[in-house]
Every structure is written in structure tokens, then in C-alpha cells.
Amino acid sequence: MKIKNDEIFERKFRDLYPEIFTNLEKGFEAIIKDISDVSSIRCPTLIISTKLDPIHPYEYGKCLASIIPRSVFFEAVPKSENLEKHLGESQAALSAFLQKLYREKTF
């Protein structure tokens, strides 16, 4: 059985920071005590997520994007699948996000 890079990283991270994974396993409530704190963010917010991120679960990114009023959600290719593409897509998403803010003067 082949082990993916994300699985190796997750195991090492779990060993180093068990309290973080304990909180992640409990869900959003353990990380963000009051979700209304997140909904009060009023600045433009870019949320980049992947479906294979063990530290920042995809579902959390989608949830945050649905709660933060001026957020933009972008799904990038996972680093473990293609690091170069992940970095390129993330950079392009950030660049487009910042250019749009500048054009619209919404920052």
C-alpha cells in the first residue's frame, strides 16, 4: 500500500502537536469559540482551500466562506498532487483577488 505525502506529514504533525489535532477532531467549535466572531470580519477575505489538507480541512474553508460577508473562496489543487500547480494556482488567485480590490477600491 502506497502512503501519500499528506499522510506522512499528518502523522508527523500529529506527533508534534497532538493538541491541535484533538481540537480539529472536535470540530469548528473547538477552534473558534464563537462563530459570530468570524462573521464580524468586514474586510475582503480570500480563502484558499484544498480537499486533501489535513490541517485546514476543505469543509472549514467552505464554512468560513459562507460566513464571512466579503469572502472569496478558491479551491486549489492539493500540494501532494502537484506542488507546482498548487503554488501557481494559489499565486494566481491571490493576484486576481488583490487586483480586483485595487480596481474596485474596496480595500
Side-chain angles (χ1 to χ4, degrees), residues 58-73:
Y58 179 81
E59 293 75 20
Y60 288 4
K62 292 295 282 185
C63 180
L64 287 171
S66 72
I67 296 169
I68 300 171
R70 298 176 65 196
S71 67
V72 174
F73 180 82

Side-chain angles (χ1 to χ4, degrees), residues 2-99:
K2 185 179 176 190
I3 297 176
K4 294 182 180 180
N5 288 339
D6 279 351
E7 291 176 49
I8 294 169
F9 174 78
E10 182 175 339
R11 287 180 192 165
K12 288 179 181 177
F13 197 87
R14 270 184 196 272
D15 291 343
L16 290 171
Y17 305 102
E19 70 283 354
I20 292 175
F21 271 88
T22 299
N23 286 340
L24 284 174
E25 289 166 356
K26 290 179 185 174
F28 231 176
E29 308 79 42
I31 298 167
I32 299 171
K33 300 296 180 200
D34 186 351
I35 203 69
S36 67
D37 291 344
V38 175
S39 64
S40 67
I41 296 172
R42 296 291 177 238
C43 65
T45 306
L46 174 63
I47 299 169
I48 299 175
S49 189
T50 74
K51 290 190 176 170
L52 296 179
D53 188 335
I55 307 305
H56 310 98
Y58 179 81
E59 293 75 20
Y60 288 4
K62 292 295 282 185
C63 180
L64 287 171
S66 72
I67 296 169
I68 300 171
R70 298 176 65 196
S71 67
V72 174
F73 180 82
F74 179 78
E75 180 183 343
V77 168
K79 289 183 274 191
S80 61
E81 286 182 9
N82 188 328
L83 178 59
E84 191 173 316
K85 188 171 183 179
H86 171 83
L87 294 173
E89 286 182 351
S90 298
Q91 180 63 43
L94 179 58
S95 180
F97 177 76
L98 293 174
Q99 287 175 16

